């Protein structure tokens, strides 16, 4: 079983940047795809970005394309989400999730496709 821990959240102003980290431990070789999701108060959890362990291919949801960048360091078992030009609508709890079988492509991320989850980290964008 893999254990995921997110760090890097915080309170920033519009236009600022943050980098989130998702550190994996345990059965890390069982995780192929790592996805980032976010959940705002009163709203459902939605997919933001995803990266494959095998080939590094990625997916980005339309609202974050051009502003967010996902990357991975397989040696450190860590996936990063660099978030630039943050907007108030980016405010949410951000979760990373892993799955042994999922392959990140052009299809919308769905929470139901991921089996392991971190506890989440709060990102607040406010002036």
């Amino acid at each position: 079983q893999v254990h995921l821990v997110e760090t890097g959240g915080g309170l920033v102003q519009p236009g600022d940047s943050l980098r989130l980290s998702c550190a994996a431990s345990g059965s890390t070789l069982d995780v192929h795809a790592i996805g980032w999701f976010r959940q705002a108060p009163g709203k459902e959890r939605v997919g933001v970005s995803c990266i494959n362990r095998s080939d590094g291919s990625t997916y980005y949801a339309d609202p974050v394309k051009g502003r967010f960048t996902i990357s991975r360091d397989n040696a450190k078992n860590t996936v990063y989400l660099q978030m630039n030009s943050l907007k108030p609508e980016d405010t949410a709890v951000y979760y990373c999730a892993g799955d042994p079988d999922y392959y990140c492509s052009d299809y919308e991320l769905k929470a139901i496709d991921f089996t392991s989850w971190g506890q989440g980290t709060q990102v607040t964008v406010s002036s």
Side-chain angles (χ1 to χ4, degrees), residues 3-87:
H3 183 59
L4 302 173
V5 178
E6 305 95 333
T7 56
L11 171 64
V12 296
Q13 295 186 339
D16 285 351
S17 298
L18 274 178
R19 188 177 79 159
L20 305 183
S21 298
C22 174
S25 61
S27 303
T28 57
L29 293 179
D30 291 341
V31 177
H32 177 258
I34 292 286
W36 283 98
F37 292 78
R38 65 187 182 186
Q39 188 167 19
K43 296 187 177 180
E44 65 179 16
R45 192 171 298 187
V46 296
V48 174
S49 185
C50 181
I51 190 167
N52 294 318
R53 183 186 182 92
S54 57
D55 58 12
S57 53
T58 59
Y59 161 88
Y60 296 95
D62 286 343
V64 307
K65 281 182 180 177
R67 299 188 299 123
F68 290 12
T69 303
I70 192 170
S71 61
R72 76 197 194 287
D73 185 333
N74 286 345
K76 294 182 178 180
N77 292 316
T78 300
V79 170
Y80 305 98
L81 186 68
Q82 178 67 43
M83 306 186 296
N84 299 329
S85 302
L86 283 162
K87 304 175 181 180

Side-chain angles (χ1 to χ4, degrees), residues 101-112:
D101 299 317
Y102 190 81
Y103 184 83
C104 307
S105 61
D106 293 334
Y107 294 101
E108 178 183 359
L109 285 181
K110 295 182 179 180
I112 197 172

